[in-house]
Amino acid sequence: MSVIEKIISQLSNPGRDSLIPVLQAVQEEEGFISRESVIEIGKALDLPASKIYGVATFYNQFRFTPYGKWNIQVCRGTACHVKGSAALLSRIERELGIGAGETTKDGFFSIEIVSCIGACGLAPVIAVNGNFHARVTPDDVPVILKHYRSIQPEESKQ
Amino acid sequence: MIQIEVNNRQVEANKGELLLTAIRRAGIKVPTLCHFEGLPPSGACRLCVVEMDGRLAPSCATTVSEGMKCQTHSAKAVRARKTIIELLLADHPDDCLYCVRNGNCDLQTLAEEYGVRTRRYQGEKSSCHLDVSSPALERDPAKCILCGKCVRVCEEIQNVSAIDFVGRGSKTRIETAFNDGLNMSSCVFCGQCIKVCPTGALREKSSTKEVLEAIADPDKYVVVQHAPAISVSIGEAFGLKPGVECSGPLNGALRRIGFDKVFDTSFTADLTIMEEGAEFVSRFKNKGKLPMITSCSPGWVKYAEQFYPDMLDNLSSCKSPQQMMGAVIKNYFAEKSNIDPKKIFSVSVMPCIAKKFEVTRDEMLNDGVPDIDAVITTRELVRLMKMRGLDLNSIEPEPADNPLSLKTGAGKIFATSGGVMEAALRSAYFLLTGKELDSLDIKVVRGLEGRKEAKININGTEVGIAVVSGLKNASDLLDEIRAGRSDLHFIEIMACPGGCINGGGQPIGVTPEAVAARMKSLYSIDKNEKYRASHLNPDIQKLYKDYLGEPLGHKSHKLLHTHYAKRDVVK
Ligand code: SF4
Ligand code: SF4
Ligand code: SF4
Ligand code: FES
Ligand code: FES
C-alpha cells in the first residue's frame, strides 16, 4: 500500500473535502508534496491536479520540494517582523537564489517560513536545522551561510 | 412577475432571477467582468455593484425581491466601479498599443467608459512569465485580472480543469498544475477560455506571419481552405448581421491576400462523410466496435486520448475534413496540377484553436510531409484582411477553385453541432438501403442543446444516435456508456458548445443569439444547395473514380484515416 493509499484508507469518508487533511498527512510523512503525490491524490479523491496544486499553494504550510540538508526556518512572527524579518528573509532568498518553500539546486539549503518560534526576545530569529541564530541582520546572512556550507549536518550539535 | 424599482423607475422582474438580469432587460448597462451567463455567480470582481439603501451590492449575486430598489449609477456606485478599474490598471502593463485585444478589450473599454485618464495608483506590477509552450494557445498572466472565467469554462463547461487559481493574495495567478505550462497540462486547446477572457491574457498562437512569408516567397505555391463555419461567422467582424453567408466575398478576399488557390473545406466534409458513413455501415453490419464516435473535432480527440483511453476504439478512424483536404491537396491536387508537393504551402482558415494542435500530430505527416502547413483562425484572417485594407462588404463574390470546392448541404452543416450526424445519416441510410431518405431534414439532431438523442429507423432496424457538444456533456454521456448503456450506435461529439460555429477561434464577444443565427444560416444554405447528401456530390464521385478508388480502400486508408493513442498528461 502506498503512503497515500494508507492515509486515505484511514479517513472515515474520503472525498473532495478531505484534500487538506490528506495533503497535511502526506507532507508529514514525506516532508513535502511531490508531483507524484499530487497526481495520486487527484486520482484517489477525483480532483484535477491543477485544483490540488491551487489549493496547496494557497497555504504557506505546503512545500513542493524536499528540504535541503540545511533547512533554514525564518520566523515571520510579530516580534521578528517588527525587528526586520522581512528584509532578513529577502536577503536569504537573494543569497540563495530561491524563494521561501524552495530548495537550492544542489540540495544544500531550503527556506521555510515559520510563525513565532518562542524566542521573541532574540528577534529576529532564524533556526537552521534547529540551531537558533539571534538578532540576525541581513549582513550576517553571508557569514551564516558560509558556516553551514563548510560542514555536514551530522557534525553539528542538534 | 414582480415589480422592482431601478433608478426610480418601475421595472418588471421574474421571481427568482438575478437583479443583473432584470436591470439588463430594462436596457440599463451595468458592467461585469466575472459574471458568467448560465453559471452560478462568483462575485469576484464587484464591478456590477449597485446602490441599495445606501449600501453597495453586487447585482450579479443578488436575487430580486418584490419592491426592491436600486440605483445603478449613483455617485457611490460609479465611484466604486471606477476605483476597481483603477486598481486593476495599477497592476496591468501599459501595453494596449501592442495588444491583440486592442480595441476589443473589456478592461480597456471600461477604463474609457469610466473616464480613467490618470494613473492614480502606482502598484508594484506582478512579474509573470508568458506561457508559449503549447502549439495553439498563449497565456500572458501579466494581463490577467483574475476574473476566473477561464477557470470556470475549463472546469464547468469543458470538464478539463487544466488551469486554476494558484498562490494567494497579491501572488495569485492562473496557472497549470506545477506551473508546467499548457503543453504539459491536460488542456485540449478548445480555446473556449480565450473567448470568455475579458483581456488579452489569453490568445491563440498566431500563424499570420508564416502565412504572409509563404505568400511572399516566389517558390511557394500557397493554397488555402476555409472551413464551413467561416463564411457564416466572419461577416460580423465587418459589421454584417450574424449569420450572413459570405463565401463569395471570402473567396475574393483570400485571392486578394495572395493565395494561389482557394478551396472549401465543405468539400472534404463530404469526403469525410463518404469514409465515415462507410465505416459506420461496416461496423454496423460486421458487428464492429459500437457506438462509433465522430473524430473531426481535435479538441475532443485529445480529450478522449487523455480521459477515455479505454474508448479510443470507438472513435472513427477518419481524419477531420481539414486534414483530409490537406492530404488531398498535397497528393491528388498536386499530381493533377503537376506541382511538387514540397512546394505547396497549405493553409487552413478554421474556427478552431485545436486545429493548430492537430496539424502538429505525428500521425498527420505523410512520408514526412505535413498535411497542413499553417492554421489561422477566423480572428487571424480578419486581422490579415484589415492589414491588407480589405473590407468584406466591398468585395465582389467569387467562386472557390475546382476541383476541391463543390459542396453539398451536408458538407456545409458540419459547422454546427448535429450537422455531422445529419450528414452522415443521409449517406448511411443510402448505403444501407440503396434509397434516399424521404425527408433529408433530420430535425431531432438540430439546435443548440448540449445533448440530443434519437432513435432512427433504418430498414426496420433501430439505430440509436446521440449528439453532444461541450466536453462536460460529452463526458456525462461517455460515463453512461462506461457504466453499461448500450442502446447507442452512433455519437457525434464536438468540443465546443454548439460546434464550430461557436469555436475557440471565432470572433470575440459572440452572443448566443449570434451563434443561433449562424446555425440558422447553415441550414438555409443546406436547404438551397443543389446536392444535399455527400454521396451525390459529383466532384466527390469523380475523386473516387479518378484517384481514391472506393471508401475505406487502400488509398483512402493511407491518406484519409488515422489512429489515436493514450496520452499521458498532468491531469
Ligand atoms: S489586455 Fe486590454 S487593457 Fe490590457 S493591454 Fe491589452 S488591450 Fe490594453
Ligand atoms: S483551451 Fe480549453 S482546455 Fe485549454 S485551458 Fe482553455 S478552456 Fe481549458
Ligand atoms: S486569464 Fe482572462 S479569463 Fe482567465 S482569469 Fe485572467 S482575465 Fe479572467
Ligand atoms: S516572533 Fe519570532 S520568535 Fe516570536
Ligand atoms: S460581475 Fe458581479 S461581481 Fe463580477
Side-chain angles (χ1 to χ4, degrees):
Chain A
M1 212 194 258
S2 76
V3 172
I4 290 167
E5 280 166 349
K6 206 167 92 217
I7 291 167
I8 288 175
S9 70
Q10 283 158 4
L11 296 172
S12 54
N13 185 16
R16 290 182 161 226
D17 296 342
S18 346
L19 177 58
I20 292 174
V22 170
L23 285 169
Q24 282 166 332
V26 171
Q27 174 144 314
E28 182 81 29
E29 196 70 31
E30 304 192 321
F32 72 110
I33 312 281
S34 69
R35 179 180 274 271
E36 293 70 31
S37 300
V38 168
I39 291 167
E40 200 184 331
I41 296 170
K43 285 209 178 100
L45 301 181
D46 190 24
L47 279 166
S50 62
K51 182 124 290 171
I52 301 179
Y53 186 70
V55 168
T57 52
F58 184 82
Y59 298 98
N60 279 329
Q61 53 175 299
F62 298 115
R63 47 185 305 121
F64 301 93
T65 42
Y67 287 120
K69 268 189 202 140
W70 297 107
N71 183 44
I72 308 171
Q73 293 181 314
V74 183
C75 176
R76 291 286 287 125
T78 316
C80 290
H81 176 74
V82 171
K83 296 282 187 177
S85 62
L88 178 59
L89 172 64
S90 54
R91 181 63 179 265
I92 298 173
E93 290 180 332
R94 208 169 65 230
E95 291 289 334
L96 293 176
I98 56 169
E102 295 175 356
T103 303
T104 53
K105 280 220 172 64
D106 59 11
F108 231 81
F109 290 105
S110 52
I111 309 174
E112 181 184 12
I113 292 178
V114 292
S115 49
C116 182
I117 44 181
C120 305
L122 308 177
V125 176
I126 65 172
V128 184
N129 287 17
N131 303 327
F132 280 65
H133 294 257
R135 299 192 189 89
V136 188
T137 67
D139 288 338
D140 294 338
V141 170
V143 186
I144 296 174
L145 294 178
K146 195 164 168 227
H147 167 70
Y148 286 104
R149 244 184 218 118
S150 66
I151 55 171
Q152 288 294 322
E154 303 77 62
E155 299 168 27
S156 75
K157 44 182 195 331
Q158 293 276 330
Chain B
M1 275 291 171
I2 56 175
Q3 290 291 321
I4 62 169
E5 201 183 294
V6 181
N7 303 345
N8 306 323
R9 284 159 183 260
Q10 290 297 312
V11 164
E12 294 211 316
N14 298 314
K15 225 174 153 164
E17 75 180 351
L18 293 173
L19 181 55
L20 178 69
T21 315
I23 291 173
R24 285 192 166 164
R25 192 180 317 108
I28 300 163
K29 191 172 161 196
V30 168
T32 58
L33 281 173
C34 72
H35 177 66
F36 201 124
E37 203 63 56
L39 295 183
S42 76
C45 75
R46 313 310 276 187
L47 222 68
C48 65
V49 288
V50 295
E51 188 170 343
M52 295 169 81
D53 297 330
R55 287 178 309 108
L56 293 176
S59 58
C60 78
T62 306
T63 312
V64 290
S65 60
E66 183 68 48
M68 186 176 248
K69 289 184 180 155
C70 73
Q71 293 288 337
T72 60
H73 287 75
S74 67
K76 195 169 178 177
V78 169
R79 203 180 324 116
R81 280 185 214 132
K82 186 171 178 191
T83 304
I84 293 167
I85 297 163
E86 288 175 316
L87 287 170
L88 287 172
L89 290 175
D91 187 21
H92 199 87
D94 282 325
D95 204 20
C96 294
L97 276 175
Y98 307 97
C99 184
V100 63
R101 290 290 290 271
N102 188 13
N104 187 16
C105 165
D106 292 353
L107 182 60
Q108 194 186 49
T109 309
L110 283 169
E112 161 64 18
E113 285 178 2
Y114 281 76
V116 179
R117 285 284 171 271
T118 51
R119 204 171 249 293
R120 266 213 298 154
Y121 304 100
Q122 295 287 349
E124 196 188 319
K125 306 239 158 133
S126 30
S127 61
C128 313
H129 296 289
L130 271 179
D131 176 2
V132 293
S133 64
S134 94
L137 209 85
E138 291 182 356
R139 298 186 318 120
D140 184 356
K143 290 181 183 165
C144 173
I145 57 169
L146 299 174
C147 72
K149 283 167 94 171
C150 55
V151 174
R152 303 195 73 187
V153 84
C154 193
E155 177 176 354
E156 296 170 58
I157 309 287
Q158 298 298 58
N159 202 28
V160 172
S161 293
I163 44 178
D164 210 325
F165 287 91
V166 159
R168 78 193 293 174
S170 64
K171 294 221 167 91
T172 311
R173 297 174 318 273
I174 305 293
E175 263 302 343
T176 56
F178 314 106
N179 309 338
D180 278 347
L182 279 179
N183 207 32
M184 298 270 284
S185 78
S186 54
C187 172
V188 302
F189 310 131
C190 68
Q192 289 299 313
C193 52
I194 299 178
K195 293 221 325 213
V196 297
C197 181
T199 73
L202 297 171
R203 58 205 180 214
E204 65 280 327
K205 175 160 278 176
S206 178
S207 297
T208 49
K209 197 162 157 267
E210 286 118 283
V211 171
L212 289 175
E213 278 167 8
I215 289 173
D217 183 342
D219 289 334
K220 290 252 159 69
Y221 191 87
V222 190
V223 300
V224 67
Q225 58 170 306
H226 52 85
I230 308 298
S231 71
V232 295
S233 314
I234 193 167
E236 291 160 49
F238 295 90
L240 290 165
K241 277 222 248 11
V244 173
E245 154 68 358
C246 300
S247 287
L250 175 62
N251 294 330
L254 289 166
R255 289 209 183 89
R256 282 171 179 70
I257 289 173
F259 290 103
D260 296 309
K261 286 279 181 224
V262 180
F263 298 128
D264 188 335
T265 316
S266 305
F267 174 76
T268 41
D270 281 334
L271 186 57
T272 304
I273 288 302
M274 296 303 287
E275 295 292 326
E276 199 161 344
E279 183 184 358
F280 175 69
V281 167
S282 142
R283 288 188 189 217
F284 194 74
K285 280 189 172 157
N286 307 324
K287 306 236 173 313
K289 188 90 176 165
L290 292 172
M292 186 173 94
I293 310 179
T294 57
S295 58
C296 43
S297 167
W300 145 242
V301 169
K302 186 167 188 272
Y303 185 81
E305 291 180 316
Q306 294 168 180
F307 296 99
Y308 291 88
D310 50 319
M311 294 177 81
L312 292 178
D313 288 344
N314 293 81
L315 265 65
S316 158
S317 64
C318 288
K319 288 184 182 174
S320 67
Q322 162 182 276
Q323 296 302 131
M324 287 203 182
M325 179 64 92
V328 168
I329 289 171
K330 290 205 180 171
N331 293 279
Y332 173 66
F333 171 76
E335 206 177 295
K336 223 173 131 84
S337 324
N338 229 336
I339 303 170
D340 176 2
K342 295 219 162 57
K343 286 201 164 154
I344 296 180
F345 190 88
S346 185
V347 178
S348 64
V349 184
M350 292 286 139
C352 180
I353 296 291
K355 292 275 163 198
K356 290 177 183 268
F357 154 76
E358 184 181 32
V359 299
T360 67
R361 293 177 64 110
D362 286 346
E363 305 83 35
M364 298 302 164
L365 298 176
N366 231 312
D367 305 327
V369 183
D371 287 343
I372 300 285
D373 296 283
V375 178
I376 58 173
T377 58
T378 321
R379 293 193 291 271
E380 289 168 272
L381 176 60
V382 171
R383 274 175 231 142
L384 274 185
M385 287 176 63
K386 294 202 165 151
M387 208 184 277
R388 290 288 168 104
L390 297 170
D391 180 353
L392 215 51
N393 293 292
S394 49
I395 300 175
E396 286 300 312
E398 294 177 13
D401 285 301
N402 288 323
L404 308 177
S405 285
L406 184 64
K407 63 170 183 285
T408 68
K412 190 68 185 175
I413 58 175
F414 251 66
T416 171
S417 162
V420 178
M421 179 60 76
E422 185 166 344
L425 288 174
R426 288 178 191 173
S427 290
Y429 187 89
F430 173 76
L431 287 175
L432 282 165
T433 64
K435 291 191 294 247
E436 302 295 338
L437 274 166
D438 291 339
S439 162
L440 288 176
D441 297 333
I442 307 173
K443 295 228 163 88
V444 282
V445 296
R446 298 186 182 180
L448 280 168
E449 300 79 43
R451 186 199 289 205
K452 294 158 276 187
E453 290 192 14
K455 299 273 184 283
I456 306 273
N457 189 317
I458 303 184
N459 252 4
T461 316
E462 195 152 85
V463 179
I465 56 167
V467 171
V468 288
S469 65
L471 293 169
K472 174 77 175 72
N473 293 326
S475 78
D476 288 347
L477 178 63
L478 295 176
D479 288 344
E480 289 169 21
I481 293 167
R482 260 187 186 166
R485 183 171 173 191
S486 62
D487 61 326
L488 293 174
H489 300 94
F490 194 5
I491 300 173
E492 176 204 292
I493 297 182
M494 295 191 189
C496 293
C500 314
I501 44 174
N502 189 29
Q506 295 279 46
I508 302 282
V510 238
T511 58
E513 293 74 39
V515 176
R518 293 172 187 170
M519 181 182 281
K520 207 170 145 214
S521 171
L522 290 172
Y523 287 117
S524 84
I525 297 168
D526 169 38
K527 193 107 218 165
N528 295 318
E529 279 295 341
K530 181 163 175 210
Y531 306 105
R532 293 188 61 204
S534 304
H535 59 276
L536 300 176
N537 184 329
D539 283 359
I540 289 282
Q541 291 166 352
K542 190 164 159 23
L543 173 62
Y544 276 108
K545 197 158 135 275
D546 291 358
Y547 190 75
L548 289 171
E550 52 175 7
L552 307 183
H554 174 71
K555 258 215 170 102
S556 293
H557 189 79
K558 179 165 184 300
L559 295 179
L560 310 180
H561 289 258
T562 184
H563 52 89
Y564 318 101
K566 180 171 193 284
R567 194 176 279 273
D568 275 319
V569 292
V570 180
K571 59 174 192 235

